[in-house]
Amino acid sequence: MPSSKSSSSSSSTKQASDDAWNNHIEPAGPSLTIAAGVFVLLSMATTALCLVAHFTDDFQRIDEYNPKYLTLSQRHFDGVRDPYVIWERNNNYTCTYLTMLREAGNLTAWQVEERAQGRPIITYPFCSFHIPYTAVWGSMAASLFGLAAVCLYAVNVMSKPRGTDEMHDIANKIHISALDFLNQEYTWLAPFVLLLWCFLYIAIDGQDHSWVPASSVSFLFGAFLSASCGYMGMHLATQGNCRTAAACFSSRTDGLEEGLAVAFRTGACMGIGVVSCGLLGLSLSYAIFGNVQSLGGFGFGASAVALFARVGGGIYTKAADVGADLCGKVDHSLAEDSPKNPATIADCVGDNVGDVAGMGADLFESYVGAIVAAAVLGAGEFGEKGVALPFYIAMIGLVVSIFGTLAIKVSKDENGKASLDALLAAMRLNILVSGLLIVGGCVILCVFLFRAERDELEDLYDTPWRQKEPGARLLGCIVVGLVVGILIGLATEYFTSHTDEPTQSIGRATEFGPGPVIIQGLGQGMYSTVIPLVLIVAAVLGAYYLAGFYGTAVACVGMLSTLGVTMSTDAYGPVSDNAGGIAEMAELPSWVRDYTDQLDALGNTTAATGKGFANGSAVLSALSLLIAFSRVAEIESVDLLKPVVVIGVLIGSCLPYVFGAMTMLSVNKAAQEMMFEVRRQFKANPKLLTDKDSRPDYKKCIEISCKSSLREMVLPGVLATFSPLVVGFIFGSHALVGLLVGAIASGYLQGVMMSNTGGAWDNAKKWIEAGSFELKGEVQGKGTDCHKAAVCGDTVGDPFKDTSGPALNILIKLMTRFAFVCAPLFADDWEYWWVGLILLGGAIVLVIILKFTLLKETPVKEEEETPGAPDAE
């Protein structure tokens, strides 16, 4: 132990800091129970209002028209509050909805042509609908019921033993550090959100001349709920990690099953909470403002926060992970999450802020975006019921997910133990049963919701074919979305699971060193894009054949209707990973770490499956929003031979690569700072590797990850938000369509490749760590050259699967949603090209200012390697 006065002072300062860290987190059981009771009462009240709305003529009718002679589109606009409605009766005794504008008779050339062909017309967003109260109140009731379930699940998790004092102290450090990062991230994000709010208030709500700023207020509401979901999930995850480790430690025979129960219930809090908050926020926005315009603003707010949360959290977690792996495992052959590694706590914190908080905001945005896209397109196809249908589907999915996450039954072998394959089979069965129950509920929904349309239109020979049997066709779209989502998950699992050939082939390549591991992983990742792409193509074609582009949006909602269950299986992975770290740092028996490693390996597979769902839904949602944008911008077709369109496609195809490069280089830069600090501590205090009681300075590594991630998340956000505006103003709306098409195609394939490649590299490493690979009769486990080569592959894969890949989904959805919200601002006659140049110049100036102020890097000085080392204690 150092005996100098300065060392004693450093030791006392460190001890005081640790005392602040070690304040125990008291269970919040009573308050959570009270909150659950309040949510249940509110859910019952809103259910009563839903029933009252249903039995008091929710969809009002116009008496002067005989419903038998009205087409589908007109019947659903009977209850509109806007008086400027023009109707026309043609020779076939059908009526066509021509337009609904603030000023009657304001028809464009495209609308006149549509009128001549007898097609229904709608001009969103300058219209207001009679609210379908049954869907609104029903969705609110289901959401409040879901929040009550979250509170009860949290009470159940908090009631579990926390383990030893050392385990809880470690968990407390992780909890406080994660909270500190999230608070700083949201502080950085607040000015950006306020800037976008001002833009929407002036440019969008100001053009509508409405006294209620629907888009801007809904934008703030969506941003707030998105941030809240990340905060809620991270808070519960940092409470469940030590309890999961304690559950695995509780029994030598049943520890695996007990640990799964706690981790899965913790993940269920995140899954059900995200779905409940998303559905509640959309319902409230629609109930308050009474039109689908507000839903677009709500979705944009969710996307804006999700992008920064995903990028910032991803940079944090992967900088710590890469630094810990290379300096710990490769340089010194330390075990995973060894307490001697200075980056261990930062790595565990990163699992929460990246894989929990970031993922929560990401999937919240995906879920909300799917419902918004379906509601917008449904307004033009089926009116009020077209808006209500995605709410009903989400409501059914939420209720089924609540009951699907109550328990997970795991079969045991003849020795009474639960195997990893049994755990995976149990989760697959849970998702499958939930999907079947949702389909059953949607059968009843579609039959009753569209029963009147089927009866009234069956004798009208001139009715468009997609409007015949609308309930059956939309049910088919829901089934298509569910089936394709499950198949994409299975395909993703095949390419990333340690039990399948693609991942094992990467493990076998470790015989020849890190280079072949990288090559084999990239090759398998590129192959992995084919099956998901074929499935997405089949989903788009099938849904479009059944119900047009509205059917595509409904298929996306169907795909995400099981999100409550799938996200529960996804979110439990980081909890299990943290549990393993706590078990290692608390020096629990090796069999406890074996249990947590099995749970972590299963979590990697389920996380990859969840990313597959997110990738597939991102494409369907972005395509639906692209069609909605074209409707608002009055674009009937786009000529691909126009130079401006080609320019847009090329720029859009390049943007995901630029975005991916930014995030990858940001992780690399932050990881280098982390590695420098870890190696400095090892050099300054050699006892870290030899003295059992010596501990590193964890806080320094946490500080590096925090500052680096906050600094590096800004530029990708600027790129995503300014690109659609610059291209739209300079080149026009047709070029913007090309930009979005190029970004969707390029970003989707790149995101799938990066996510699957990273997952395969990670599980190949775990396959070797489990002792499954033998070379010349010798098991290649931890510490071998094969294991070190696998660690190098996993190091490259970390930013692939947890930073760049997932963020690309948000990129394509954020750009399409921003374009959709701002569609009324763009023109095609180069009228506002100067605005685009001003925005481009402003973006460049902003980047330069940020680069030399907030984003300025602090150089690491070599003299810091000299002894002022962290205390050995």
Side-chain angles (χ1 to χ4, degrees):
M1 177 184 296
S3 57
S4 66
K5 184 176 180 180
S6 61
S7 298
S8 300
S9 175
S10 174
S11 177
S12 61
T13 303
K14 178 176 180 294
Q15 182 63 43
S17 178
D18 285 345
D19 290 341
W21 254 9
N22 291 333
N23 291 325
H24 281 214
I25 307 167
E26 297 298 332
S31 60
L32 288 173
T33 305
I34 294 172
V38 172
F39 284 132
V40 169
L41 293 176
L42 291 174
S43 177
M44 294 173 62
T46 50
T47 302
L49 290 173
C50 174
L51 294 175
V52 170
H54 178 74
F55 290 108
T56 54
D57 195 16
D58 182 12
F59 297 102
Q60 300 179 10
R61 305 290 178 235
I62 296 179
D63 295 334
E64 54 267 30
Y65 289 122
N66 185 348
K68 181 178 180 180
Y69 302 117
L70 302 184
T71 62
L72 196 66
S73 294
Q74 180 185 349
R75 289 192 66 254
H76 295 296
F77 290 97
D78 290 343
V80 297
R81 294 176 293 187
D82 196 318
Y84 300 105
V85 178
I86 305 174
W87 303 95
E88 177 180 278
R89 186 182 300 274
N90 61 27
N91 295 331
N92 293 322
Y93 299 102
T94 62
C95 289
T96 303
Y97 177 67
L98 295 180
T99 187
M100 180 168 37
L101 297 171
R102 294 298 177 186
E103 296 182 1
N106 185 13
L107 298 178
T108 65
W110 171 76
Q111 291 171 331
V112 171
E113 180 182 353
E114 294 289 296
R115 173 179 178 177
Q117 297 180 10
R119 297 176 183 170
I121 296 173
I122 177 174
T123 56
Y124 171 83
F126 306 104
C127 57
S128 182
F129 300 98
H130 174 70
I131 302 175
Y133 287 101
T134 303
V136 170
W137 291 116
S139 298
M140 287 185 188
S143 303
L144 293 169
F145 181 57
L147 292 175
V150 169
C151 293
L152 294 177
Y153 286 172
V155 170
N156 179 267
V157 171
M158 300 287 284
S159 66
K160 301 297 182 182
R162 295 177 293 184
T164 64
D165 288 340
E166 185 175 4
M167 292 170 61
H168 188 255
D169 289 342
I170 295 169
N172 201 16
K173 294 174 182 178
I174 296 172
H175 175 84
I176 293 174
S177 300
L179 277 179
D180 181 62
F181 169 78
L182 220 56
N183 291 334
Q184 292 189 51
E185 182 181 48
Y186 291 158
T187 301
W188 278 55
L189 187 55
F192 175 78
V193 171
L194 291 177
L195 181 64
L196 287 178
W197 174 81
C198 293
F199 172 79
L200 292 177
Y201 181 80
I202 296 172
I204 303 300
D205 291 328
Q207 299 294 326
D208 195 22
H209 303 292
S210 174
W211 67 275
V212 180
S215 294
S216 55
V217 172
S218 297
F219 168 80
L220 288 179
F221 191 30
F224 170 76
L225 282 182
S226 180
S228 299
C229 285
Y231 189 91
M232 173 187 65
M234 186 278 302
H235 184 83
L236 292 172
T238 53
Q239 298 287 347
N241 50 15
C242 65
R243 290 168 169 83
T244 300
C248 292
F249 186 37
S250 63
S251 174
R252 185 76 180 261
T253 57
D254 298 328
L256 184 62
E257 186 176 2
E258 295 294 330
L260 174 65
V262 177
F264 183 76
R265 187 57 56 83
T266 305
C269 293
M270 184 68 175
I272 302 300
V274 163
V275 175
S276 299
C277 289
L279 192 55
L280 180 63
L282 289 172
S283 302
L284 285 174
S285 295
Y286 192 44
I288 293 172
F289 299 108
N291 57 52
V292 291
Q293 180 183 1
S294 62
L295 301 183
F298 184 90
F300 181 42
S303 296
V305 171
L307 180 71
F308 285 94
R310 195 43 136 161
V311 172
I315 294 172
Y316 186 111
T317 181
K318 293 305 110 180
D321 200 359
V322 170
D325 283 352
L326 292 181
C327 295
K329 294 180 181 179
V330 178
D331 288 357
H332 300 286
S333 298
L334 295 177
E336 178 88 14
D337 299 316
S338 170
K340 298 180 178 298
N341 194 327
T344 295
I345 295 288
D347 187 11
C348 292
V349 174
D351 290 336
N352 292 286
V353 299
D355 296 338
V356 177
M359 180 192 63
D362 181 359
L363 292 180
F364 176 87
E365 185 268 346
S366 297
Y367 184 74
V368 166
I371 297 175
V372 170
V376 169
L377 293 178
E381 295 289 336
F382 295 99
E384 288 176 343
K385 290 188 179 181
V387 177
L389 179 62
F391 283 90
Y392 283 127
I393 297 172
M395 182 175 62
I396 294 173
L398 174 56
V399 174
V400 169
S401 297
I402 292 172
F403 291 101
T405 54
L406 285 175
I408 181 169
K409 183 65 176 177
V410 181
S411 60
K412 299 181 180 180
D413 59 18
E414 56 186 11
N415 297 322
K417 293 185 178 181
S419 65
L420 187 62
D421 292 336
L423 299 180
L424 185 58
M427 290 192 171
R428 287 175 178 169
L429 181 63
N430 205 15
I431 295 175
L432 181 60
V433 171
S434 298
L436 292 176
L437 291 175
I438 290 173
V439 170
C442 289
V443 169
I444 300 174
L445 167 67
C446 292
V447 167
F448 283 93
L449 187 62
F450 295 98
R451 177 179 54 185
E453 284 72 14
R454 181 193 61 192
D455 295 340
E456 294 168 8
L457 296 175
E458 62 183 4
D459 61 339
L460 297 178
Y461 62 88
D462 63 332
T463 301
W465 65 272
R466 286 197 184 98
Q467 294 181 359
K468 297 176 181 177
E469 296 290 344
R473 295 185 180 277
L474 291 172
L475 175 62
C477 296
I478 297 171
V479 174
V480 165
L482 273 171
V483 171
V484 169
I486 292 174
L487 292 178
I488 289 177
L490 293 176
T492 305
E493 182 182 317
Y494 171 74
F495 280 100
T496 58
S497 175
H498 67 284
T499 60
D500 292 310
E501 173 60 23
T503 299
Q504 292 181 4
S505 69
I506 298 174
R508 290 192 296 270
T510 58
E511 175 186 355
F512 305 99
V517 171
I518 303 298
I519 296 171
Q520 184 73 16
L522 288 174
Q524 294 292 352
M526 293 175 185
Y527 270 134
S528 71
T529 62
V530 177
I531 296 178
L533 179 62
V534 171
L535 291 172
I536 288 296
V537 169
V540 172
L541 289 177
Y544 181 81
Y545 177 81
L546 290 172
F549 284 112
Y550 178 57
T552 304
V554 170
C556 183
V557 178
M559 183 181 293
L560 290 176
S561 60
T562 59
L563 184 64
V565 175
T566 55
M567 189 175 178
S568 299
T569 62
D570 191 357
Y572 108 98
V575 177
S576 302
D577 194 3
N578 262 209
I582 291 173
E584 184 72 31
M585 286 183 281
E587 299 181 345
L588 298 182
S590 59
W591 54 268
V592 178
R593 184 61 199 246
D594 290 339
Y595 282 157
T596 59
D597 282 348
Q598 291 185 60
L599 294 176
D600 185 26
L602 179 61
N604 284 332
T605 300
T606 57
T609 303
K611 290 184 177 70
F613 270 88
N615 288 334
S617 64
V619 176
L620 296 180
S621 177
L623 285 175
S624 302
L625 286 169
L626 178 60
I627 299 303
F629 165 75
S630 66
R631 299 276 177 86
V632 179
E634 300 179 359
I635 300 175
E636 186 176 0
S637 62
V638 176
D639 187 357
L640 292 177
L641 298 180
K642 284 186 175 181
V644 291
V645 178
V646 175
I647 291 172
V649 172
L650 293 176
I651 295 175
S653 300
C654 181
L655 283 179
Y657 288 93
V658 177
F659 185 85
M662 284 183 173
T663 53
M664 290 287 291
L665 293 175
S666 295
V667 171
N668 185 48
K669 193 183 303 181
Q672 289 177 1
E673 295 181 29
M674 180 67 68
M675 292 170 64
F676 186 92
E677 172 60 24
V678 172
R679 287 170 177 165
R680 184 194 70 80
Q681 291 197 33
F682 281 139
K683 183 177 180 180
N685 186 7
K687 290 184 178 181
L688 286 176
L689 299 173
T690 57
D691 188 356
K692 180 180 179 181
D693 297 327
S694 181
R695 289 292 182 267
D697 182 5
Y698 297 121
K699 281 190 174 181
K700 182 64 176 177
C701 292
I702 293 173
E703 181 182 350
I704 290 174
S705 275
C706 183
K707 289 183 177 180
S708 299
S709 58
L710 293 174
R711 182 181 67 238
E712 299 295 336
M713 74 177 183
V714 176
L715 293 184
V718 172
L719 174 71
T721 51
F722 274 86
S723 297
L725 289 177
V726 171
V727 172
F729 278 117
I730 294 180
F731 300 107
S733 55
H734 282 73
L736 185 52
V737 170
L739 174 88
L740 298 177
V741 169
I744 292 171
S746 174
Y748 171 64
L749 293 176
Q750 186 181 351
V752 171
M753 187 276 292
M754 298 183 84
S755 297
N756 290 350
T757 302
W761 274 324
D762 191 1
N763 279 336
K765 179 197 69 174
K766 287 182 167 55
W767 183 65
I768 291 177
E769 289 176 344
S772 302
F773 178 45
E774 293 186 6
L775 182 62
K776 298 178 181 179
E778 296 183 2
V779 175
Q780 301 297 310
K782 296 180 179 180
T784 62
D785 290 339
C786 289
H787 179 245
K788 291 181 179 179
V791 169
C792 291
D794 180 40
T795 300
V796 178
D798 278 337
F800 265 51
K801 69 181 176 65
D802 290 323
T803 307
S804 300
L808 286 172
N809 295 328
I810 308 176
L811 172 71
I812 60 178
K813 288 181 291 185
L814 175 63
M815 289 198 300
T816 52
R817 189 164 290 114
F818 199 14
F820 165 69
V821 173
C822 300
L825 304 178
F826 304 126
D828 271 323
D829 53 4
W830 299 74
E831 181 179 357
Y832 301 114
W833 61 269
W834 53 274
V835 178
L837 290 179
I838 291 175
L839 289 173
L840 179 60
I844 295 174
V845 171
L846 176 63
V847 169
I848 294 175
I849 294 175
L850 292 175
K851 191 68 177 177
F852 291 98
T853 54
L854 293 177
L855 308 185
K856 186 177 181 180
E857 300 176 30
T858 302
V860 182
K861 299 180 181 179
E862 292 295 330
E863 54 264 25
E864 290 184 3
E865 294 187 20
T866 59
D871 193 350
E873 295 180 356

